[in-house]
Amino acid sequence: MFKHPKHSKHLLQSLAALAALLLGGWSLPALAALNVFASVPEWGALAREVGGERVNVFVATTAMQDPHRIEAKPSLIARARGSQLVLATGADLEIGWLPLVLRESGNGAIQPGQPGYLEATSVLRLLEVPTRLDRADGDVHPGGNPHVQLDPRNILKVADALGERLIRLDPAGEAVYKARLADFTARWKAAMQRWEREAAPLRGVGVWVQHRSFIYLDEWLGIRELGALEPKPGVEPGSAHLAGLLERQKASPGRMILRPAYASPKSSDWMGEKAGIPVVVLPFAVGGSPEAKDLFGLFDDSLRRLLAALK
């Protein structure tokens, strides 16, 4: 079919504009006011809860990746370049890749200290703050344990901070953000009450962990952590170390071993088989299991797996 040259010119201009948008890393919903770059799935899920259609959320990692060990790929840099808000965990969780992504993005609005950068841990009390720093101790985080997402009380505090930041960056959306935050808070508090009732049998239960990933979950539910399979954070255990833990298990029995979904099963499966206790693979982050599709599903599925192991 013949196309008028004027129409063809307009078509080419439209296609060029679309290509520029896609190459910039975003495909915007019609009503989105802000591009949000979330470092990990839980903050991406929270941004969708509070921001709704006014935000377009990109999540840099998946639940099946170790958040400490991510490559600063050009695709991540492109996404950061077109974002108005970076929502990260902080406490050096993303230290190996996010600073490089931010620097190479050339986006001054999302650098630390700017309104377009928000760390979840900046509004939280961190556990396991080290009294000394020595590389010989493994992957120790100077600010404290950064795996804060498995205490739902922390989620509420981050939601409040996120709501305030979204309003600051997008004042026109204030009514939407406040309404969505209030709705999420009400639903979350009701879910917390239910989770705490259901989790009562877990109080005082002794567990082993593959990595020191669950300390906030333990504190919330009163679970008693006996020790980690890793001799040092981020260091895979050898046979002699595991044999020593097995002797400790005989003296002070744990009921189960907790492992995040992304971790290698080798050491926990060996320990579980030798000790005759179940290995509980927890989703750890949104998307870590088919049931953990959002923040509510993350906690629903985690508690279901923990309670099933007690039987």
Side-chain angles (χ1 to χ4, degrees):
M1 177 182 292
F2 174 78
K3 292 186 182 293
H4 192 280
K6 182 178 180 180
H7 294 163
S8 299
K9 181 180 179 181
H10 289 164
L11 176 61
L12 289 173
Q13 289 174 337
S14 299
L15 290 173
L18 177 60
L21 179 64
L22 293 176
L23 288 173
W26 296 100
S27 179
L28 293 175
L31 299 179
L34 296 174
N35 292 327
V36 178
F37 179 109
S39 65
V40 288
E42 50 270 25
W43 308 137
L46 186 61
R48 293 186 183 101
E49 290 280 0
V50 179
E53 292 186 345
R54 292 196 69 85
V55 300
N56 187 42
V57 179
F58 169 75
V59 181
T61 61
T62 75
M64 304 313 293
Q65 294 176 294
D66 183 341
H68 302 86
R69 296 174 173 83
I70 302 297
E71 184 181 349
K73 296 181 179 179
S75 58
L76 296 183
I77 296 170
R79 291 282 186 169
R81 184 174 297 125
S83 64
Q84 287 78 48
L85 175 63
V86 168
L87 181 56
T89 298
D92 284 352
L93 178 72
E94 303 97 345
I95 191 66
W97 60 277
L98 186 56
L100 178 59
V101 167
L102 296 179
R103 185 171 66 250
E104 294 300 314
S105 74
N107 184 348
I110 60 170
Q111 303 303 316
Q114 298 301 312
Y117 181 81
L118 176 61
E119 289 185 349
T121 52
S122 67
V123 297
L124 301 176
R125 176 182 65 89
L126 298 190
L127 304 176
E128 296 185 332
V129 179
T131 56
R132 72 165 199 161
L133 295 176
D134 191 328
R135 292 188 64 85
D137 293 331
D139 294 335
V140 176
H141 296 276
N145 191 309
H147 302 297
V148 297
Q149 77 275 10
L150 292 183
D151 184 337
R153 299 169 296 187
N154 287 342
I155 300 293
L156 273 183
K157 293 176 183 177
V158 178
D160 287 340
L162 175 59
E164 293 176 0
R165 190 60 57 91
L166 291 174
I167 291 170
R168 182 176 178 182
L169 294 172
D170 176 27
E174 180 175 0
V176 172
Y177 298 133
K178 284 185 174 180
R180 292 191 65 89
L181 177 59
D183 176 70
F184 172 75
T185 298
R187 291 184 290 119
W188 194 252
K189 286 182 176 179
M192 282 176 58
Q193 292 178 350
R194 173 172 57 83
W195 293 328
E196 287 168 1
R197 287 196 306 270
E198 294 174 352
L202 293 168
R203 185 163 295 278
V205 170
V207 303
W208 298 93
V209 297
Q210 172 121 353
H211 177 71
R212 297 285 288 174
S213 306
F214 303 105
I215 188 66
Y216 295 92
L217 178 73
D218 297 340
E219 185 189 53
W220 171 48
L221 296 180
I223 294 173
R224 188 166 51 90
E225 194 167 299
L226 302 175
L229 271 58
E230 292 179 342
K232 299 175 183 178
V235 177
E236 283 294 318
S239 56
H241 178 73
L242 290 175
L245 293 181
L246 194 58
E247 290 301 313
R248 288 175 56 190
Q249 164 68 10
K250 295 175 182 177
S252 181
R255 297 285 298 276
M256 63 188 81
I257 302 168
L258 308 185
R259 183 178 84 224
Y262 68 80
S264 167
K266 184 178 179 181
S267 58
S268 57
D269 284 354
W270 182 92
M271 179 80 171
E273 180 181 356
K274 297 295 184 182
I277 58 176
V279 177
V280 182
V281 181
L282 295 181
F284 188 67
V286 172
S289 71
E291 296 79 12
K293 296 178 181 179
D294 57 19
L295 286 167
F296 293 89
L298 170 63
F299 283 88
D300 283 336
D301 192 41
S302 295
L303 288 183
R304 181 188 63 79
R305 291 169 181 250
L306 289 168
L307 291 169
L310 284 183
K311 300 177 181 179

